[in-house]
Amino acid sequence: MNGRVRPSSFLFLTLAVGFQSAAVVSGKAAAMQMGTPTLGAFLSNRWYVASLTCLVLQALFWQLVLREVRLFVAYLFSGFSYFLVLIASHVIFMEHVTGANWAGVLAIIVGISLVIREDVA
C-alpha cells in the first residue's frame, strides 16, 4: 500500500459501493412485495435473491479493495452509498427527499472528499 488508490482498486471500490447500494434498494423492493416473512417467501422473492446476490458481489469486491486500499479510506468511501440510496429512494420508490436530506448527503460527500483527497488524487 503506497498511499495512493490505483485505478483498478478505485474500480473495485466503486463496484463494492454500487453493489452495497443495490442490495439496500433490492431489500426495500423485497420488503414491499413480501407478505408474511417465511423462508419460502424469502427464497421465492426475486428482489430478496437480487439483494443477496448484490451482497455477495459486494463482499467479493470489498476483499479486493482491502488488499490494496487503507481501511479507513475504503470505509470512508463507502459513505457514497448514502448518496446513491437517497437518489434511488426518490427515483425508484418516489419517497420525498428534503433539502435537509440533500444537505446532509452533501456534507458527507464533502467530508469524505476532504479526508481522502490525498489517497485518490
Side-chain angles (χ1 to χ4, degrees):
M1 288 186 226
N2 63 6
R4 301 261 184 213
V5 177
R6 294 184 338 188
S8 61
S9 297
F10 186 76
L11 173 64
F12 295 150
L13 188 51
T14 302
L15 288 169
V17 171
F19 282 121
Q20 177 183 354
S21 302
V24 170
V25 172
S26 298
K28 167 80 173 184
M32 292 176 65
Q33 283 187 349
M34 190 177 300
T36 305
T38 63
L39 181 59
F42 282 110
L43 295 176
S44 64
N45 187 311
R46 66 185 170 127
W47 292 109
Y48 185 71
V49 172
S51 180
L52 288 177
T53 302
C54 287
L55 287 173
V56 167
L57 291 169
Q58 184 273 342
L60 292 173
F61 283 112
W62 190 248
Q63 293 306 306
L64 294 172
V65 167
L66 293 179
R67 293 174 63 180
E68 301 287 330
V69 179
R70 293 188 296 169
L71 179 60
F72 89 94
V73 171
Y75 193 69
L76 281 173
F77 198 89
S78 70
F80 283 111
S81 66
Y82 292 109
F83 173 72
L84 297 174
V85 170
L86 181 70
I87 290 174
S89 68
H90 180 67
V91 172
I92 297 170
F93 301 112
M94 306 301 176
E95 295 177 354
H96 179 67
V97 177
T98 67
N101 298 133
W102 287 114
V105 166
L106 181 62
I108 290 169
I109 291 172
V110 169
I112 292 168
S113 300
L114 290 173
V115 173
I116 65 173
R117 69 179 179 254
E118 289 129 11
D119 288 274
V120 295

